[in-house]
Amino acid sequence: MANYWTYKNTSNELTRNLARWYNKVDEMDGGQFRTVTETFRNHYDTILNYFINRSTNAGAESFNAKVKAFRSQFRGVTDIPFFLFRLSKLCA
């Protein structure tokens, strides 16, 4: 599949390549991969954006994981302003 996904492709080429991939998967056995192809169709713009700009939301996901870990560490905190202060220092 490496030949389908190169960052040098234009948006139109990527769109065609993705459509070809859908067709190949449907030809193989659409039943088993139907969930996968539907997921790809639902996130079509995001997938193409990655191959065009090489950008993901990994930074946001990492930040969210840090906030969740910090929150779980300080359950039952009653001093909300101090909690937010500590959170801002952690993530700054």
Side-chain angles (χ1 to χ4, degrees), residues 5 10 14-15 36 38 40 42 45 51-52 55 57 62-63 69 74-75 80 82 85 87:
W5 313 111
T10 64
L14 288 170
T15 304
V36 174
E38 287 302 317
F40 272 60
N42 290 338
D45 293 331
F51 289 104
I52 293 168
S55 61
N57 68 341
S62 173
F63 175 74
F74 291 99
R75 291 249 188 249
I80 303 296
F82 181 70
F85 170 76
L87 185 61

Side-chain angles (χ1 to χ4, degrees), residues 14-32:
L14 288 170
T15 304
R16 279 183 295 217
N17 287 337
L18 191 56
R20 283 187 206 124
W21 181 82
Y22 288 142
N23 292 338
K24 282 190 175 195
V25 170
D26 286 339
E27 288 171 8
M28 288 187 328
D29 183 17
Q32 293 178 352

Side-chain angles (χ1 to χ4, degrees), residues 17-18 32-33 35 44-45 56 63-64 83 85-86:
N17 287 337
L18 191 56
Q32 293 178 352
F33 291 101
T35 305
Y44 177 79
D45 293 331
T56 65
F63 175 74
N64 189 34
F83 174 77
F85 170 76
R86 289 281 311 270

